[in-house]
Amino acid sequence: MSPAAASTGDRIRSYEDFARVHAYLLAASGIPPSLHRRLYRKLADEVFDGGDAFSVEPCEGGRQRRLVLAAERTLGRESDVFLVDHAWSFRLSDALKQLREVPGLAERMAALMCVDLDRRTELEESDEQDSRKTGSLENALVVVEKERTRIQEKGSDFAAWLELEELGIDDDMLIALNLSAKFPNMVALNLWGNKLQDPEKIMKEIVKCGRLKALWLNENPALKEGADKVILDGLPELEIYNSHFTRKAGEWALGFCGDIVGADNPCSSAESISLESIVTLDLSDRCIHKLPEVFSPSKLTSLLNLNIRGNPLDQMSGDDLLKLFSGFTQLQELEVDIPGPLGNNAISITECLPNLSLLNGINVPSIIESGKHIVDSALKPCFPEWSPEESLPERVIGAMWLYLMTYRLADEEKIDETPVWYVMDEMGSAMRHSDDANFRVAPFLFMPEGNLASAISYAVLWPVRDVHTGEECARDFLFGIGEDKQRSARLTAWFHTPDNYFIQEFRKYKEQLQSSSICPTTKETPTTKSVRPSDGRALRVFTDIPHVEEFLTRPEFVLTSDPKEADIIWVSMQVDSELKNALGLTDQQYTNQFPFEACLVMKHHLAETIHKAWGSPEWLQPTYNLESHLSQLIGDYCVRKGDGLDNLWIMKPWNMARTIDTTVTGDLSAIIRLMETGPKICQKYIESPALFQGRKFDLRYIVLVRSICPLEIFLSDVFWVRLANNQYTLEKTSFFEYETHFTVMNYIGKLIHMNTPEFVKEFEKEHQVKWLEIHERIRDMIRCVFESATAVHPEMQNPFSRAIYGVDVMLDNRFTPKILEVTYCPDCTRACKYDTQALIGSQDVIRGSDFFNTLFGCLFLDELKDVSPL
């Protein structure tokens, strides 16, 4: 959002003033021109009339809210515009602090995000539980006697079906009920949501019911102890366990899901189940790995509607599934995960099943006409998860990614580097997602004084098609984002998308990385020499870097203010063809950058270069370019979650320094939503780093590069440690504390400098290690990083390039070095400001004032003072 046109500073007095000052904002927002005048009037008069047109209703059992058109008239397409206030606007680093300190904010946000339900209903639930507790055995006995009476009326061979859900039944009550003796022919037992504790007691009692076809023990404490195997082994006829199909699932399970088997028709034998009468079959979320053999066109002859969403089906190939389904020539409606077991493309599914009329609730001809590959209208929404002991601010932090929107401020001078996140008010936040949205929402800054200082932020809402009374009002959370920008994967921020697809994508990517390695095993002989003129004159240096101007003092170099006469161009800006033409530079002048060095200094390119060269080396944390590999990241996340592994990640912009817009999170929705503030990599966070006196740290090394092909690089003897200010912790609330998880304090927080020799001495003492051994591993890793560039991007080589790069390194708790990033034209303030001592070689004192003299001596005069070849 860039109000660059608003530079006049004139107060808005008319619609014409408004249109002129806000021209760029109006165009960027997409608000139809026919609504601009109406928008101006509502902004100028502060008209919030959405409450007259809409109502907010609870849905999904109170875990969400939805917006409904309440006005007793049809709201025509682009007929009106509504202002939506921002209930909360913030910078991400300030979020938790504001929730804790601003009166009423956490309470309002918790209610808006539906994460205070337990607090609202705590008293009622307590009363209800007390009444249940006193009458639980009596209630259970009533159900049991009722079923016994029914069996007596139907005949002793009639199968029993017991619904004992949420009756407060504990272990002793279950034994006292003596169900196996009372119901020898029981086929279904529902004990969902009771108080069964002891797995051994429960299993001993339940396995007596040897004819059970279905058993529900969901949400009982005993399940935490892991009793599944005993249950499945002890009940040979069990087809459904805790809502999932077992390996024995067959006619009975299909009959249950097809609504021909139930409490009124228990069907104890397969012979009494007529699968051919099933018209609609809902197999969703049954954890089916392989469809039962009886699932066939010859058995299910009347099947018209099929739902197989939420099943891995990983023991059947997509081709086999499509072949099986194509046999159901009468099948008209299909619900299936896309991407999922039938493939990644809705169009290819419709081609294999030509008789389908609806795929995931959407008309097949419209899918083919639009070329829509992904059909996502039936995905189940994600709901915030929290524990009772979490405070309201902590709950809001966990839930907010389902509600947040964002913008970035800018004017003629510069763009704000830190984005603003905001939550719309109760009306705006109640709008849910739809692929076929009937409204659009856009952020808008109103500047009543004609300048950014007076700006008031709103969201603006308008209908994009006719909406009728009682109809839900929805927006497209990913408006303008198609599959070319990973739409389906990004929907994972709000919906339960098929894990199986993403896991497959991750495993394919992992195999691809493991098979990559193109780096040479031998080193070529360097060929660079001193570039000092044969007549002995000094080399002329043009620079815009203050430290070079101040500290490059040796007589072999002389500064010049005219870039055209310089032998060496040493600048902080990019020396491209445009700059060369502007300054009159030639290709025979030495520059402090290599062509195509973006393969090292841009974070996504660095990871890509290393992956191509080395595959997945130990010294590079798992790293994903979210602009191209979001699906693979989601798959990695799902695998880690399933394996109970740490799932903390760090989001880094491609090309920002100083940890700007960098975030640590274990929330997958947050990872995906953070893509909205600019291109990023997502890298596995080093959750167990080596610590120094309880604090996190990293190391800044300076690498001198004379040549890329052959590779000729040197490591400066000067390096320094960067320390976090706070003690390290993985408490969730600490991720908002910059001085706990980040180490660059030059620009934020308090910089505490520690002399390198002192740090090394103390570190060796604290951890009982030898720094020189760690140092050798770091040297080897840095060499490998630059070998990656040589192998993958030999076009970097230029005989008139000489450069230094900052290489940031972190150690894990096993003292294994990890590459963090490579920086062009690194800030060398500390190297120039502080004297230090070499830790290897001569171990002489190295004066800070000589730092650039030493670097230039190595790069241009072939010297090796205070550097070592890599």
Side-chain angles (χ1 to χ4, degrees):
M1 177 179 290
S2 174
S7 56
T8 62
D10 298 332
R11 181 174 177 79
I12 305 298
R13 301 181 185 279
S14 66
Y15 168 72
E16 288 69 29
D17 290 343
F18 169 77
R20 172 178 52 80
V21 170
H22 297 84
Y24 180 89
L25 287 168
L26 289 166
S29 69
I31 300 169
S34 61
L35 292 175
H36 288 180
R37 191 176 293 273
R38 195 174 185 89
L39 173 64
Y40 164 63
R41 288 282 16 127
K42 290 193 176 185
L43 286 167
D45 298 337
E46 297 185 2
V47 175
F48 292 89
D49 55 349
D52 299 330
F54 306 99
S55 65
V56 176
E57 299 179 349
C59 59
E60 302 290 351
R63 303 187 72 184
Q64 274 189 342
R65 291 161 304 111
R66 66 180 194 143
L67 192 70
V68 174
L69 182 64
E72 294 183 3
R73 61 182 174 86
T74 296
L75 190 61
R77 175 178 179 268
E78 297 181 0
S79 62
D80 206 346
V81 63
F82 301 91
L83 298 184
V84 179
D85 204 0
H86 290 183
W88 180 30
S89 298
F90 59 94
R91 311 282 183 177
L92 197 53
S93 58
D94 299 328
L96 186 60
K97 185 173 186 287
Q98 289 184 11
L99 287 166
R100 286 172 168 170
E101 296 179 1
V102 176
L105 177 62
E107 289 75 14
R108 183 182 181 186
M109 290 298 104
L112 183 151
M113 299 176 187
C114 304
V115 293
D116 63 345
L117 300 179
D118 60 327
R119 299 197 175 195
R120 280 191 260 160
T121 60
E122 203 169 48
L123 186 58
E124 294 93 326
E125 286 184 355
S126 176
D127 293 342
E128 184 180 338
Q129 286 172 3
D130 288 343
S131 64
R132 267 191 195 161
K133 189 172 183 180
T134 57
S136 56
L137 183 56
E138 292 177 16
N139 293 336
L141 286 171
V142 168
V143 175
V144 168
E145 287 308 311
K146 185 177 178 181
E147 184 66 7
R148 285 184 73 179
T149 302
R150 191 170 75 112
I151 298 295
Q152 289 170 358
E153 292 173 354
K154 295 282 187 179
S156 58
D157 291 335
F158 193 78
W161 187 299
L162 270 182
E163 293 283 351
L164 300 173
E165 181 179 1
E166 294 186 333
L167 292 177
I169 298 171
D170 60 23
D171 301 347
D172 294 334
M173 291 181 197
L174 180 64
I175 294 169
L177 288 171
N178 197 16
L179 298 178
S180 60
K182 293 173 182 174
F183 304 104
N185 198 24
M186 183 163 55
V187 294
L189 175 59
N190 184 357
L191 289 165
W192 192 312
N194 282 289
K195 299 179 179 179
L196 302 174
Q197 298 271 0
D198 188 331
E200 191 173 336
K201 282 185 181 180
I202 299 159
M203 298 313 107
K204 187 176 179 181
E205 196 63 25
I206 287 177
V207 295
K208 294 177 186 177
C209 306
R211 302 197 64 185
L212 276 179
K213 300 282 189 183
L215 173 65
W216 291 271
L217 292 174
N218 312 59
E219 297 182 17
N220 276 282
L223 282 186
K224 298 176 182 177
E225 302 296 325
D228 293 1
K229 189 175 186 307
V230 178
I231 287 281
L232 295 173
D233 291 345
L235 296 172
E237 298 182 28
L238 196 67
E239 297 191 25
I240 294 177
Y241 175 55
N242 289 347
S243 307
H244 295 164
F245 275 25
T246 71
R247 286 176 296 182
K248 300 156 191 168
E251 285 95 339
W252 195 94
L254 292 179
F256 174 76
C257 294
D259 287 332
I260 62 171
V261 171
D264 295 331
N265 185 31
C267 296
S268 60
S269 64
E271 291 75 18
S272 58
I273 300 172
S274 57
L275 295 181
E276 61 271 13
S277 65
I278 294 177
V279 174
T280 297
L281 185 58
D282 184 356
L283 299 179
S284 60
D285 299 311
R286 295 290 175 186
C287 198
I288 301 171
H289 295 275
K290 184 178 181 180
L291 288 167
E293 288 186 16
V294 292
F295 181 89
S296 68
S298 63
K299 296 281 189 181
L300 296 157
T301 54
S302 303
L303 186 63
L304 298 179
N305 312 310
L306 174 64
N307 186 345
I308 58 165
R309 282 182 170 273
N311 294 294
L313 292 170
D314 48 3
Q315 295 177 17
M316 303 179 76
S317 71
D319 290 340
D320 287 344
L321 282 167
L322 283 171
K323 184 178 179 181
L324 174 61
F325 291 160
S326 65
F328 293 92
T329 54
Q330 77 283 15
L331 189 65
Q332 295 177 3
E333 299 182 18
L334 176 65
E335 293 272 342
V336 61
D337 295 325
I338 306 175
L342 293 188
N344 310 334
N345 191 316
I347 294 175
S348 66
I349 293 173
T350 61
E351 289 171 348
C352 293
L353 305 173
N355 296 322
L356 277 186
S357 58
L358 291 175
L359 179 60
N360 288 358
I362 295 180
N363 187 274
V364 167
S366 70
I367 295 172
I368 296 171
E369 183 182 348
S370 65
K372 190 170 185 178
H373 289 191
I374 306 298
V375 180
D376 49 53
S377 60
L379 294 176
K380 292 184 178 179
C382 296
F383 299 120
E385 296 179 358
W386 73 88
S387 57
E389 61 272 11
E390 281 186 298
S391 65
L392 287 184
E394 290 171 325
R395 296 183 189 192
V396 171
I397 290 296
M400 67 184 185
W401 297 104
L402 301 173
Y403 293 89
L404 292 182
M405 297 178 74
T406 187
Y407 61 82
R408 197 176 235 133
L409 295 172
D411 57 22
E412 308 98 322
E413 300 297 322
K414 66 174 221 175
I415 187 167
D416 191 339
E417 294 172 328
T418 308
V420 176
W421 293 91
Y422 66 94
V423 177
M424 292 186 289
D425 65 17
E426 285 74 4
M427 183 182 85
S429 292
M431 296 193 78
R432 301 196 296 174
H433 168 79
S434 173
D435 270 3
D436 188 24
N438 49 14
F439 279 85
R440 267 193 67 186
V441 175
F444 192 84
L445 283 186
F446 177 49
M447 295 174 283
E449 301 296 333
N451 53 44
L452 194 57
S454 67
I456 305 169
S457 60
Y458 297 97
V460 178
L461 168 70
W462 70 97
V464 293
R465 60 175 175 81
D466 292 351
V467 187
H468 304 287
T469 303
E471 187 176 348
E472 181 171 356
C473 306
R475 65 184 179 91
D476 186 345
F477 288 175
L478 293 171
F479 178 79
I481 295 175
E483 282 310 310
D484 58 327
K485 296 181 181 176
Q486 309 177 101
R487 177 183 177 88
S488 295
R490 292 175 75 160
L491 281 168
T492 306
W494 298 277
F495 295 95
H496 291 286
T497 50
D499 290 355
N500 186 53
Y501 165 76
F502 296 115
I503 290 171
Q504 288 176 4
E505 290 297 297
F506 161 64
R507 286 175 176 158
K508 283 191 288 186
Y509 179 64
K510 188 176 179 181
E511 288 173 8
Q512 177 188 332
L513 287 183
Q514 289 171 344
S515 64
S516 299
S517 184
I518 62 173
C519 271
T521 55
T522 57
K523 296 181 181 180
E524 295 185 51
T525 304
T527 57
T528 58
K529 297 179 181 178
S530 171
V531 301
R532 190 172 185 187
S534 56
D535 60 7
R537 69 174 176 82
L539 290 163
R540 295 181 292 270
V541 179
F542 174 79
T543 186
D544 64 349
I545 299 174
H547 286 127
V548 178
E549 293 175 337
E550 180 178 357
F551 294 111
L552 183 61
T553 57
R554 54 187 300 173
E556 295 92 338
F557 302 93
V558 60
L559 300 178
T560 176
S561 58
D562 184 357
K564 291 193 290 294
E565 72 170 22
D567 300 296
I568 300 169
I569 306 296
W570 194 277
V571 291
S572 57
M573 65 194 88
Q574 183 179 354
V575 183
D576 53 18
S577 57
E578 186 177 341
L579 184 67
K580 283 187 172 184
N581 292 333
L583 298 181
L585 305 181
T586 72
D587 292 338
Q588 307 305 306
Q589 292 171 291
Y590 288 90
T591 61
N592 65 323
Q593 53 200 254
F594 280 82
F596 306 102
E597 65 183 7
C599 74
L600 288 172
V601 299
M602 293 187 73
K603 298 178 187 71
H604 63 306
H605 287 321
L606 173 64
E608 180 184 11
T609 300
I610 293 171
H611 285 154
K612 286 181 178 179
W614 297 103
S616 185
E618 184 185 18
W619 39 267
L620 176 68
Q621 289 289 95
T623 305
Y624 299 89
N625 178 359
L626 292 181
E627 295 299 301
S628 57
H629 288 79
L630 177 59
S631 292
Q632 291 79 0
L633 175 274
I634 295 172
D636 193 347
Y637 186 99
C638 291
V639 169
R640 289 176 181 275
K641 184 177 180 180
D643 292 343
L645 299 176
D646 173 85
N647 235 336
L648 270 181
W649 298 80
I650 183 167
M651 305 281 288
K652 303 177 182 179
W654 281 358
N655 199 27
M656 286 273 199
R658 313 197 309 268
T659 65
I660 292 168
D661 199 14
T662 300
T663 308
V664 177
T665 183
D667 186 326
L668 184 58
S669 292
I671 290 171
I672 297 169
R673 299 297 312 282
L674 284 161
M675 295 172 64
E676 296 170 31
T677 62
K680 292 180 179 64
I681 64 166
C682 183
Q683 191 169 71
K684 184 65 193 68
Y685 192 59
I686 304 170
E687 74 278 3
S688 299
L691 302 177
F692 179 73
Q693 298 174 357
R695 291 178 291 162
K696 190 176 174 182
F697 70 91
D698 65 20
L699 304 160
R700 165 60 65 88
Y701 286 86
I702 302 296
V703 177
L704 296 72
V705 183
R706 288 188 195 165
S707 168
I708 290 291
C709 293
L711 186 62
E712 188 178 12
I713 57 177
F714 304 84
L715 189 65
S716 171
D717 289 347
V718 177
F719 70 94
W720 54 95
V721 62
R722 303 185 297 191
L723 291 161
N725 288 340
N726 297 341
Q727 292 289 297
Y728 183 70
T729 175
L730 287 177
E731 286 290 324
K732 282 171 65 174
T733 55
S734 75
F735 301 136
F736 291 88
E737 299 170 359
Y738 182 91
E739 295 184 49
T740 299
H741 289 275
F742 297 100
T743 60
V744 180
M745 301 296 163
N746 307 49
Y747 315 96
I748 301 174
K750 179 183 178 183
L751 172 62
I752 301 174
H753 175 73
M754 187 172 193
N755 189 273
T756 302
E758 180 187 352
F759 163 77
V760 168
K761 181 180 178 182
E762 291 295 325
F763 187 85
E764 287 183 325
K765 181 179 179 182
E766 179 180 350
H767 294 286
Q768 296 298 298
V769 293
K770 295 181 179 179
W771 184 262
L772 290 183
E773 294 176 358
I774 296 172
H775 183 72
E776 281 305 309
R777 292 197 288 271
I778 294 172
R779 284 173 52 89
D780 291 343
M781 183 197 72
I782 292 175
R783 171 80 192 187
C784 287
V785 170
F786 284 87
E787 283 178 344
S788 303
T790 300
V792 179
H793 292 284
E795 66 273 19
M796 276 185 68
Q797 175 56 21
N798 183 331
F800 287 92
S801 294
R802 301 282 194 279
I804 65 169
Y805 298 94
V807 177
D808 295 337
V809 178
M810 187 171 285
L811 304 176
D812 67 16
N813 59 358
R814 295 177 296 120
F815 312 110
T816 301
K818 306 280 186 176
I819 182 71
L820 298 183
E821 64 178 303
V822 177
T823 306
Y824 160 74
C825 199
D827 181 351
C828 294
T829 300
R830 292 205 218 185
C832 297
K833 185 175 181 180
Y834 300 103
D835 295 344
T836 188
Q837 183 179 8
L839 297 176
I840 57 174
S842 66
Q843 297 187 346
D844 290 340
V845 172
I846 302 174
R847 300 197 177 280
S849 57
D850 284 336
F851 181 71
F852 276 104
N853 289 333
T854 299
L855 295 192
F856 274 68
C858 174
L859 290 173
F860 299 104
L861 304 180
D862 203 22
E863 296 177 352
L864 293 178
K865 183 177 184 296
D866 297 333
V867 300
S868 57
L870 284 176

